[in-house]
Amino acid sequence: DAGVIQSPRHEVTEMGQEVTLRCKPISGHNSLFWYRQTMMRGLELLIYFNNNVPIDDSGMPEDRFSAKMPNASFSTLKIQPSEPRDSAVYFCASSFGTRGRGYTFGSGTRLTVV
Amino acid sequence: RKEVEQDPGPFNVPEGATVAFNCTYSNSASQSFFWYRQDCRKEPKLLMSVYSSGNEDGRFTAQLNRASQYISLLIRDSKLSDSATYLCVVNMAGSARQLTFGSGTQLTVLP
């Protein structure tokens, strides 16, 4: 099992540019989560999908952020336009089944907006 | 009040020591509980689930007190490799598959 795969591992971009983060969940997992982690705010849930359908996007900071899951094996998180305050580590995680199970996280994308 | 609260530490302990972390959660109807471990610049990884009866995995023991809405993690005979941030995680009632993460407790085991 390859685990949750995220790309890119690191991204440095200029303010105002579009950034797209990618995630491939574990095969067979039916829930996918995007988190953002900063020193100040810890791990924050941005959005989660169940069976490819967005269920709760209340954590998405503003309209500059959007997420899609076109199929069970791929999801994207897009920031357009990016701002320096978006600099953080973005994690994707997936899980299967009941709430009694934990998540498996990807290695994260470290985003720096300059 | 935060939904999941932890003492941020840092805890600095000598190798071989026993160390305990505590966590409280706000929603009394919460249903699932976990401890995650996060190494520096890495992703969080599931350490263990926490069951009502308490559970043990090697040197690690987790306890749940539903009446006090309190979770604990005990690490015995700590190793240098135990140095990490430990995250208390709760599945809040009514939140389906969403997990709420505490801000973490930092542990450094010293030689």
Side-chain angles (χ1 to χ4, degrees):
Chain A
D1 188 344
V4 177
I5 299 172
Q6 289 187 247
S7 64
R9 291 294 301 273
H10 302 274
E11 176 81 31
V12 180
T13 191
E14 291 185 346
M15 184 173 62
Q17 296 298 306
E18 177 180 296
V19 175
T20 299
L21 312 181
R22 298 173 177 79
C23 175
K24 177 178 168 56
I26 290 174
S27 177
H29 281 192
N30 59 354
S31 295
L32 183 140
F33 309 83
W34 282 101
Y35 280 85
R36 177 171 69 177
Q37 187 174 38
T38 61
M39 288 292 291
M40 291 296 294
R41 301 172 69 93
L43 265 170
E44 302 174 278
L45 178 65
L46 301 177
I47 184 171
Y48 94 90
F49 296 84
N50 188 41
N51 294 323
N52 311 339
V53 176
I55 303 300
D56 184 353
D57 65 354
S58 60
M60 297 285 263
E62 48 198 274
D63 291 346
R64 298 184 298 105
F65 286 69
S66 62
K68 293 182 180 179
M69 192 165 186
N71 57 60
S73 59
F74 184 65
S75 177
T76 59
L77 177 68
K78 186 177 291 187
I79 308 172
Q80 166 63 20
S82 57
E83 297 182 2
R85 61 194 168 116
D86 301 331
S87 298
V89 181
Y90 290 81
F91 288 108
C92 175
S94 70
S95 73
F96 172 75
T98 67
R99 61 173 64 88
R101 298 174 186 242
Y103 301 168
T104 301
F105 282 80
S107 300
T109 295
R110 186 171 297 274
L111 174 65
T112 303
V113 183
V114 297
Chain B
R1 181 185 173 190
K2 287 184 181 178
E3 292 179 303
V4 180
E5 292 208 59
Q6 295 182 249
D7 180 347
F11 284 64
N12 297 317
V13 302
E15 211 172 354
T18 295
V19 61
F21 305 136
N22 304 318
C23 168
T24 58
Y25 58 95
S26 61
N27 189 326
S28 60
S30 297
Q31 301 188 6
S32 303
F33 309 89
F34 308 89
W35 283 101
Y36 273 70
R37 169 194 170 126
Q38 186 172 23
D39 293 291
C40 187
R41 303 179 77 85
K42 299 283 191 179
E43 73 273 22
K45 291 185 178 177
L46 180 63
L47 178 65
M48 58 196 304
S49 301
V50 186
Y51 303 118
S52 297
S53 54
N55 49 300
E56 188 174 305
D57 183 1
R59 298 181 293 108
F60 297 82
T61 301
Q63 296 279 354
L64 168 63
N65 184 322
R66 286 188 182 272
S68 302
Q69 296 175 212
Y70 172 94
I71 306 161
S72 66
L73 177 68
L74 183 78
I75 305 175
R76 292 181 301 279
D77 187 24
S78 53
K79 312 291 185 191
L80 298 177
S81 57
D82 294 334
S83 298
T85 296
Y86 291 83
L87 303 164
C88 175
V89 185
V90 176
N91 173 235
M92 294 294 183
S95 62
R97 290 173 177 80
Q98 291 186 47
L99 298 181
T100 300
F101 286 75
S103 54
T105 299
Q106 186 180 343
L107 170 68
T108 301
V109 180
L110 304 168

